[in-house]
Structure formats: C-alpha cells, structure tokens
Amino acid sequence: MKPSALVPLFVLCGLGAGAVALVEGSAEKGQSKSTACVACHGMNGNSANPEWPSLAGQHEQYIRKQLQAFKSGARKNPLMTPMAMALSDDDMADLGAYFASQKPAGLEADPGKLALGQRLFRSGDTKSGIPACASCHGPTGAGNPAAAYPLLRSQYGTYVGAQLRAYRAGTRQTDPNKMMRDVASTMSDEQIDAVASYIQGLR
C-alpha cells in the first residue's frame, strides 16, 4: 500500500544533521567519480540492498556532511570509512551534487504498520515524549537542506530502523545536540519499525 497521500521520520529530525558550508558541486563530475559508489548504492543512487541507503535525491549538503563524518571518524563503518578517506572536499561536493540530481525509486510500506507509522511521523507521541518526525523532515519526508536534515522518503525501512537503533544505543552520534539520540531513546522497537516502514512508502 502506498502512503503517498498520507504524507510524512530516515533518517529523522536530523539522522545526522547540522548545517554545513555550501560548496557548489558538479553533478557531471560526480557521476564520473561515483564508480566505486554504485556497487552498494546503485547506478542511479537507488540501492538494491535494504541495508545500504539509497542516495538518489538526497541533499548534496547532507551527503557531503556524512562523507566528512566517515572520513574524520565521527561516524564509523567498515565499508564507508576507507572509501571516504580517499575523498577530497571537492569530491564530496561533486558526489553529493550527482546523487542529489537522481530520482528516488518508489517503495512500499507494510500495511500492518502504516497506521502507527503515520501517526508517529505526523504527530509524534506525547505520552512517550516522541516529537513528530515531520517537524524536522517535513510532511512528505523531503527534509531541510538548509539545516542538513536529510530527505527520508523512499528510504529503505531496514536502513532507517538500523539508524534509529544506532542512535538509541548511542553508537551513532552525528546528531547535533543529541537531537536524534534523544528522540530514539524513547522509542520502542515496534515504534521504530512502524515509522521506518512508513518512511519507506513515502513519495
């Protein structure tokens, strides 16, 4: 079932937010530099593996910020860290521009998780202290490029859920002022799975 008309958490009120200096990247140059990226993230930025994020349509600034985090060690991943180490700031900007220019593929949400996921994304849960994901990531999951809050729509629920659990466990700390860690710390596995599935189905 497509929640396209239902509108609005991937990566959440900043699945690694924080404004970054704007560097104008070249999508054309980024395409030529993306050869090593496509094995995991797909030729056009739409990953074939739900454990690896799709990058198509993601904001250039956010991609650049995450690559910088992998390179500095602020964010750790055995696959991404060595890849990022070889990149210059210009490379990161170009790759960000290229993937931002690609179109996200449409995915489906789990109908059984749709109601809870939609409620959490749109309204949060005051009883649990969970803010609405839409308040930072927008009603359609388009994110906020100026604040480097990522685009979430059509992101794999498996990946979104894994990032929320990483924030909850404190193993991912790329969120300024612990924004995402504070949000995820109050979420149950059921809530994480539901909102992650809802994000996957957003258009």
Side-chain angles (χ1 to χ4, degrees):
M1 179 176 184
K2 299 179 181 178
S4 53
L6 305 178
V7 235
L9 174 42
F10 181 77
V11 206
L12 328 200
C13 217
L15 268 193
V20 296
L22 297 180
V23 174
E24 187 175 352
S26 164
E28 183 178 0
K29 291 180 181 178
Q31 183 176 16
S32 67
K33 296 176 180 181
S34 68
T35 306
C37 308
V38 301
C40 293
H41 298 289
M43 186 70 68
N44 58 358
N46 288 291
S47 173
N49 186 331
E51 295 184 2
W52 298 331
S54 289
L55 302 180
Q58 186 58 267
H59 308 304
E60 177 183 334
Q61 301 96 313
Y62 182 76
I63 291 174
R64 178 171 174 261
K65 179 177 174 59
Q66 297 311 303
L67 288 172
Q68 289 175 329
F70 283 123
K71 184 172 183 175
S72 71
R75 185 175 177 186
K76 302 180 187 302
N77 181 278
L79 294 175
M80 282 305 306
T81 298
M83 300 292 285
M85 291 297 291
L87 299 175
S88 67
D89 285 345
D90 285 344
D91 292 335
M92 294 178 189
D94 292 341
L95 287 168
Y98 170 65
F99 285 115
S101 70
Q102 303 304 298
K103 184 177 180 180
L107 300 171
E108 304 295 330
D110 182 340
K113 299 175 181 177
L114 188 58
L116 176 58
Q118 177 184 333
R119 184 166 70 251
L120 289 169
F121 193 95
R122 288 182 168 184
S123 306
D125 185 327
T126 54
K127 184 177 180 181
S128 301
I130 302 171
C133 308
S135 62
C136 288
H137 295 282
T140 63
N144 182 338
Y149 295 155
L151 172 141
L152 301 181
R153 64 171 179 248
S154 296
Q155 187 57 263
Y156 281 116
T158 298
Y159 178 77
V160 174
Q163 299 313 299
L164 285 172
R165 287 180 171 86
Y167 279 123
R168 186 175 65 182
T171 55
R172 181 171 177 182
Q173 302 180 5
T174 53
D175 51 329
N177 302 314
K178 297 179 64 177
M179 292 171 64
M180 285 309 307
R181 281 171 282 175
D182 288 344
V183 170
S185 68
T186 65
M187 298 182 74
S188 67
D189 284 336
E190 180 185 17
Q191 290 171 324
I192 286 175
D193 290 341
V195 80
S197 177
Y198 180 72
I199 286 169
Q200 176 173 291
L202 283 173
R203 299 287 191 274

